[in-house]
Amino acid sequence: YILLTDEITYEKNQEKIFTNGKTEAIIKSKYNFKTEDLTLLLNQNRLNSDKRAVIKDNYSNIYQLDNFDYSINTEQLKGYNIIITTKYGLPDSDKFYFADAIINLENKDFIAKDTKIEIHRSVFGNKKNKPRLKGVSSRKESNITTVKKGIFTSCGENDKCPPWSITSEEIKHDKNKKQLIYNNAFLKIYDVPVFYF
């Protein structure tokens, strides 16, 4: 671990290191944490802070959180008001918004509440589209992302409802097959249900 900060304190009896002020932590040469007032619990291999944090990994993914708790051994991150930008700066970059979540930084699996996912515009071959998916909760395991009580549309955003959307009890996104699979779904045209499937 590398900690860069203005002021650092080591409490040997508690095996606790904490910083005061802006801090950068480099963990296993894989993750770069930028925050303030960081605590490192050496006997538990845990990092945490109640302050806003930005975490970058070696794959150009950026995690922004209001606060966090990170287990170094399991590479599990917990936090609130999370924004994840995948493949930052690349054309196929996606954005995830979570009210709170538990994320495995190694394999990118997660479980989250109040989810919004903005999929890169060129995913359907039309850059005018703005595909997005919202739901009350979500889970990603391997290449399958499941959103509960979800709504999907690729229409551009406006002040009114989108021209079309699909609402569903459950929406599964299979990344390998590039498919969205709906369970008990309604197709809505200007917010009016017109078709159940």
Side-chain angles (χ1 to χ4, degrees):
Y1 321 131
I2 299 172
L3 297 178
L4 305 168
T5 188
D6 290 332
E7 184 179 316
I8 192 165
T9 304
Y10 174 38
E11 294 182 356
K12 189 172 181 181
N13 291 342
Q14 297 182 39
E15 287 295 301
K16 178 179 175 183
I17 293 173
F18 58 91
T19 69
N20 187 14
K22 290 184 179 179
T23 304
E24 182 176 354
I26 301 164
I27 307 299
K28 296 183 177 179
S29 299
K30 290 168 73 174
Y31 307 112
N32 184 304
F33 291 73
K34 288 187 178 178
T35 189
E36 294 180 34
D37 305 340
L38 181 79
T39 301
L40 171 60
L41 303 171
L42 294 169
N43 54 357
Q44 297 176 32
N45 275 336
R46 296 190 82 79
L47 274 179
N48 61 63
S49 176
D50 291 331
K51 302 290 173 71
R52 186 91 180 132
V54 176
I55 303 164
K56 294 180 183 177
D57 68 16
N58 290 341
Y59 302 102
S60 299
N61 299 310
I62 298 176
Y63 304 80
Q64 299 172 64
L65 313 91
D66 275 357
N67 55 44
F68 73 91
D69 184 64
Y70 176 67
S71 169
I72 296 169
N73 292 340
T74 62
E75 298 190 36
Q76 190 173 79
L77 177 71
K78 297 178 187 177
Y80 293 91
N81 295 325
I82 302 166
I83 302 171
I84 302 170
T85 306
T86 65
K87 301 179 183 177
Y88 181 77
L90 298 175
D92 56 346
S93 174
D94 299 324
K95 272 196 168 181
F96 295 76
Y97 302 83
F98 304 133
D100 61 75
I102 301 170
I103 305 162
N104 184 304
L105 294 186
E106 176 65 22
N107 61 24
K108 310 301 181 259
D109 287 352
F110 61 78
I111 184 166
K113 277 178 31 181
D114 297 331
T115 299
K116 179 180 175 185
I117 303 169
E118 294 177 354
I119 304 163
H120 59 280
R121 288 178 180 264
S122 61
V123 70
F124 296 119
N126 182 351
K127 292 187 178 182
K128 292 182 180 178
N129 284 337
K130 189 171 182 186
R132 58 198 180 279
L133 185 58
K134 292 182 182 179
V136 297
S137 65
S138 61
R139 172 188 296 268
K140 179 184 173 292
E141 293 178 293
S142 189
N143 288 314
I144 306 288
T145 302
T146 304
V147 177
K148 298 287 187 181
K149 294 185 180 176
I151 181 168
F152 172 79
T153 187
S154 64
C155 295
E157 288 184 302
N158 57 35
D159 293 337
K160 299 177 183 176
C161 58
W164 71 268
S165 64
I166 298 175
T167 60
S168 181
E169 286 181 19
E170 180 180 88
I171 301 172
K172 284 190 179 180
H173 174 235
D174 187 322
K175 193 173 182 179
N176 288 344
K177 294 180 181 177
K178 297 184 180 178
Q179 290 180 339
L180 287 172
I181 304 154
Y182 302 91
N183 183 16
N184 295 330
F186 281 96
L187 172 63
K188 292 185 176 183
I189 306 294
Y190 288 101
D191 234 11
V192 177
V194 295
F195 190 67
Y196 171 80
F197 55 100

